[in-house]
Amino acid sequence: MKKTGFIIIIIVVVCGLSVFGIYHFANLFREDTSEYTLLQTSVSPDGAYKLNAYRTEPGATTDFSIKVFLESGKKEKRIYDAYHEKSVDISWLDNERVCINGKTLNLAKNETYDWRKDY
């Protein structure tokens, strides 16, 4: 009888840890719901592209990240998403190429950067 109780406790603990792990792993790859703080707006030299850079304010369990969106009318498309970054440095190389925190993107070719693809 004692052995059966011990086995049940082990099963409950393993199941609980599995659910906890799956939940947190899945949250790495979902859209976050943290608060965004606008850090910078940058416009290409010819005025064709407008970028809005935000820092996430995730709370105690997740680090900061930088997200940069390409503004197109009333819509924004995320073109840059980097984890463990608190600040942003945007510099235009020409009318179509932009360097964001050392990563070069060609906006005419719809290039994007997402840290999760390198994970």
Side-chain angles (χ1 to χ4, degrees):
M1 189 66 166
K2 263 185 164 179
K3 191 174 185 180
T4 304
F6 181 72
I7 291 173
I8 291 172
I9 290 172
I10 295 297
I11 290 172
V12 168
V13 168
V14 168
C15 288
L17 289 174
S18 296
V19 168
F20 179 79
I22 290 169
Y23 171 78
H24 284 285
F25 181 77
N27 282 337
L28 281 175
F29 298 99
R30 71 171 176 82
E31 284 294 313
D32 68 71
T33 57
S34 52
E35 296 290 321
Y36 286 47
T37 300
L38 180 64
L39 297 178
Q40 182 179 348
T41 296
S42 182
V43 179
S44 63
D46 66 355
Y49 298 102
K50 181 179 179 183
L51 304 179
N52 296 313
Y54 299 90
R55 179 178 58 228
T56 63
E57 307 292 339
T61 60
T62 309
D63 201 3
F64 292 97
S65 65
I66 297 295
K67 298 184 186 308
V68 179
F69 294 87
L70 173 62
E71 189 176 300
S72 176
K74 293 183 179 183
K75 290 184 173 185
E76 286 188 322
K77 175 188 172 192
R78 186 175 54 214
I79 62 163
Y80 181 87
D81 189 346
Y83 192 55
H84 298 299
E85 292 184 359
K86 288 185 178 181
S87 61
V88 67
D89 178 37
I90 298 174
S91 57
W92 291 92
L93 305 176
D94 56 34
N95 290 329
E96 299 170 341
R97 293 181 308 137
V98 62
C99 184
I100 305 170
N101 288 355
K103 305 277 192 285
T104 301
L105 304 175
N106 187 326
L107 300 181
K109 294 181 180 178
N110 295 316
E111 292 180 350
T112 62
Y113 172 77
D114 190 336
W115 72 275
R116 295 172 290 190
K117 294 191 175 141
D118 291 339
Y119 185 68

